[in-house]
């Protein structure tokens, strides 16, 4: 659900903000610029939650392409049908998205209005040179830096009457903003709030980012201005002026930040400063790692694509499936009396039966659950049905309890060149191929990444499936056109994907006595 993703994104943002706050304390104690932790937290808080679901889908698609060509195991289970989506979930998502769009529209309108106001102020201002610096002089607005491509210092007329030394400090502060391209950072922060207006911790990060920009500029100004008391009084003076330049970096952007800015100008105590720096950096690293833990990232990126599971228990009449159990069913060797039909043996007829059935909690075949998916001959089918009640299995387990499981297993009836019979159940890949007994080397598929593609429609719907196919591989190791026969398919789109991929697949050709 979108609401769950939003909550995860807010938790992720809050942790990043906390890490940035710890890192800022360490940098301030070390007398370094401290805007960078906040800029990293701001960027990651916006980009990662928006991009993570797409990144995870791309990674899952890559993994699916690599795993979709896996061979049929000895005992294979079939996936359950996906549960239908709950209508109330869709309705809640629609309502949340609607509120999101509404809030973004309000934030965008607010940003647009601010940009229009700044453009209007720029047009109404007069270009002058003050103390050797080109500035825009406004009747009432400023001090600030306005504009992006052509950033300019804006001064109100009243500040022109300040003492030269005080006016120089104002200009120096705004020039530091302009050189650092702070207007772009402020604009980026405003756009971030347009994209995620619901992200409450993001508003805090934006506020702290603006404060960090101001404090960094203050620190650079004080490098050449030894009188911090005088500079602080200037800040108090400027703070008394109202401002309409809401999105411009200002000498005093927020009155609530004024105390923090003045406190930051005080001399830093050197006692145990190294210990405080180390503690703050350690806390930043710990919180940053917590933000990147799997529980948080899974909430932001969404769960890894997987078939949905179905609640069940050992007493339920519904069997478990492969993606639900922790331990798969395994046949106990030597159990069951699987006999080769006399008529087919005497006629040198080989074949295979692909059966599907349920194994109960005692490791026995559950009567009435046998289903033939493929059979070469009816007599082979009867032989399997007669042997199943005597076969024994190690039952599947789920959370330490034995459970029923639906399994799929091949039973191969083959004759060696010396006419001795061989009957196997759950045979290996080397025993199953067509006309195996005439070959000295089996055909083997070569890796062809990206050829067999997962149908996008089924992948997006989290639908898994299987295609059991039979075809001829020629002497050149290529699929022989027209020889494809589909023995079993979960969905027509899976069948189509296999049919499209076969001409591009490559194999090692089979051999008989060194001849392909």
């Amino acid at each position: 659900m979108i609401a769950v993703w939003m909550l995860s994104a807010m938790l992720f943002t809050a942790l990043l903000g906390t890490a940035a706050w710890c890192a800022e304390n360490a940098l301030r104690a070390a007398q370094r610029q401290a805007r960078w932790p906040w800029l990293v937290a701001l960027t990651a808080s916006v980009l990662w939650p928006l991009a993570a679901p797409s990144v995870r889908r791309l990674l899952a698609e890559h993994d699916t392409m690599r795993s979709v060509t896996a061979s049929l195991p000895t005992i294979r289970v079939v996936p359950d049908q996906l549960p239908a989506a709950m209508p109330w979930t869709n309705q809640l998502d629609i309502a949340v998205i609607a509120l999101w769009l509404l809030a973004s529209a309000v934030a965008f309108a607010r940003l647009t209005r601010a940009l229009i106001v700044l453009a209007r102020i720029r047009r109404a201002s007069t270009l002058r040179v003050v103390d050797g610096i080109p500035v825009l002089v406004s009747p009432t607005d400023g001090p600030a830096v306005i504009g992006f491509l052509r950033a300019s210092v804006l001064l109100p007329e009243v500040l022109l009457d300040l003492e030269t030394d005080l006016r120089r400090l104002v200009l120096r502060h705004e020039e530091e903003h302009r050189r650092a391209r702070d207007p772009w950072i402020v604009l980026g922060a405003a756009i971030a709030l347009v994209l995620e207006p619901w992200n409450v911790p993001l508003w805090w990060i934006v506020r702290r980012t603006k404060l960090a920009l101001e404090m960094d500029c203050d620190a650079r100004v004080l490098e050449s201005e030894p009188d911090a008391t005088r500079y602080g009084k200037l800040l108090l003076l400027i703070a008394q002026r109202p401002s309409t330049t809401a999105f411009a970096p200002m000498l005093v952007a927020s009155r609530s930040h004024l105390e923090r800015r003045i406190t930051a100008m005080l001399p830093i105590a050197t006692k145990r400063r190294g210990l405080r720096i180390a503690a703050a950096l350690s806390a930043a690293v710990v919180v940053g790692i917590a933000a990147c833990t799997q529980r948080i990232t899974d909430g932001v990126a969404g769960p890894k694509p997987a078939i949905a599971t179905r609640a069940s228990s050992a007493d339920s009449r519904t069997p478990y499936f492969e993606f639900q159990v922790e331990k798969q069913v395994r046949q106990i060797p030597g159990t069951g009396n699987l006999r080769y039909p006399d008529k087919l043996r005497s006629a040198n007829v080989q074949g295979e039966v692909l059966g599907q059935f349920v194994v109960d909690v005692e490791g026995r075949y559950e009567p009435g659950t046998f289903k033939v998916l493929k059979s070469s001959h009816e007599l082979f089918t009867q032989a399997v049905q007669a042997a199943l009640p005597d076969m024994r299995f190690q039952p599947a387990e789920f959370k330490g309890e034995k459970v029923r499981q639906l399994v799929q297993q091949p039973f191969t009836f083959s004759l060696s060149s010396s006419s001795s019979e061989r009957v196997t159940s759950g045979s290996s890949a080397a025993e199953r191929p067509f006309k195996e007994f005439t070959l000295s080397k089996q055909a083997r598929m070569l890796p062809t990444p990206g050829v067999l593609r997962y149908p996008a429609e089924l992948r997006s719907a989290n639908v898994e499936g299987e295609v059991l196919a039979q075809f001829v591989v020629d002497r050149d190791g290529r699929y022989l056109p027209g020889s494809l026969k589909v023995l079993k398919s979960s969905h027509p789109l899976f069948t189509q994907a296999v049919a499209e991929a076969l001409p591009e697949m490559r194999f090692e050709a089979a051999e008989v006595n060194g001849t392909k």
Side-chain angles (χ1 to χ4, degrees), residues 319-336:
Y320 274 76
F321 295 83
E322 175 181 21
F323 55 84
Q324 295 172 297
V325 300
E326 299 163 353
K327 184 178 179 181
Q328 303 292 332
V329 164
R330 284 195 307 111
Q331 184 185 355
I332 298 176
T335 60

Side-chain angles (χ1 to χ4, degrees), residues 182-197:
D182 288 346
W184 287 104
I185 296 176
V186 176
L187 178 63
I191 293 175
L193 295 179
V194 171
L195 294 175
E196 297 183 12

Side-chain angles (χ1 to χ4, degrees), residues 56-302:
R56 170 153 286 183
R57 280 194 295 269
L58 290 175
L59 293 177
E61 178 179 352
H62 178 67
D63 290 340
T64 300
M65 289 178 183
R66 291 187 301 171
S67 64
V68 74
T69 58
S71 60
L72 187 72
T74 299
I75 296 179
R76 184 176 177 85
V77 298
V78 294
D80 197 3
Q81 294 180 348
L82 288 172
M86 292 182 290
W88 66 267
T89 304
N90 293 336
Q91 293 174 4
L92 179 59
D93 286 346
I94 293 173
V96 170
I97 292 175
L99 292 175
W100 180 353
L101 294 176
L102 179 61
S104 292
V106 172
F108 180 75
R110 181 171 175 265
L111 173 60
T112 302
R113 180 180 178 277
L115 295 176
I116 293 174
V117 169
L118 290 180
R120 186 181 303 146
I121 292 173
R122 188 182 188 101
R123 289 194 301 269
S125 301
T126 304
L127 181 61
R128 294 176 58 178
V129 178
V130 178
D131 298 335
I133 300 176
V135 299
L136 293 174
V137 178
S138 168
T140 57
D141 298 296
V145 176
I146 61 174
F148 303 101
L149 297 177
R150 293 185 300 110
S152 302
V153 175
L154 177 72
L155 288 181
E157 287 182 351
V158 67
L159 292 187
L160 298 180
D161 297 331
L162 283 176
E163 297 177 11
T164 302
D165 290 345
L166 294 178
R167 189 171 61 238
R168 178 177 53 81
L169 289 177
V170 175
L171 290 173
R172 173 70 187 279
H173 182 96
E174 301 305 333
E175 277 293 300
E176 290 295 338
H177 273 310
R178 189 177 64 83
R179 292 193 190 100
R181 301 182 183 275
D182 288 346
W184 287 104
I185 296 176
V186 176
L187 178 63
I191 293 175
L193 295 179
V194 171
L195 294 175
E196 297 183 12
W198 44 265
N199 196 336
V200 177
L202 182 62
W203 288 78
W204 172 63
I205 288 180
V206 168
R207 183 178 175 84
R208 294 291 307 200
T209 301
K210 292 181 180 179
L211 173 60
L213 297 181
E214 296 296 338
M215 294 176 68
D216 285 351
C217 281
D218 291 339
R220 291 196 293 271
V221 170
L222 290 174
E223 289 176 358
S224 60
E225 174 56 46
D227 192 351
T229 302
R230 188 182 187 192
Y231 185 68
K233 290 180 178 179
L234 178 62
L235 293 182
L236 291 173
L237 173 64
I238 301 298
Q240 307 306 314
R241 293 183 42 77
S243 174
T244 58
T245 50
F247 286 96
M250 300 181 60
L251 184 61
V252 180
S254 172
R255 291 179 177 82
S256 63
H257 287 161
L258 190 58
E259 181 180 356
R260 291 194 182 105
R261 292 176 62 185
I262 293 177
T263 302
M265 298 176 196
L266 299 176
I268 299 176
T270 57
K271 185 178 181 180
R272 296 182 179 177
R273 188 172 69 171
L275 180 61
R276 286 188 282 117
I277 293 174
L281 286 178
S282 299
V285 171
V286 170
V287 178
I289 292 175
C292 299
T293 55
Q294 184 175 1
R295 185 178 296 273
I296 302 297
T297 55
D298 279 353
V300 175

Side-chain angles (χ1 to χ4, degrees), residues 18-32:
T18 304
W21 179 77
C22 295
E24 181 189 23
N25 288 333
L27 292 172
R28 296 288 181 207
Q31 297 182 324
R32 295 289 187 270

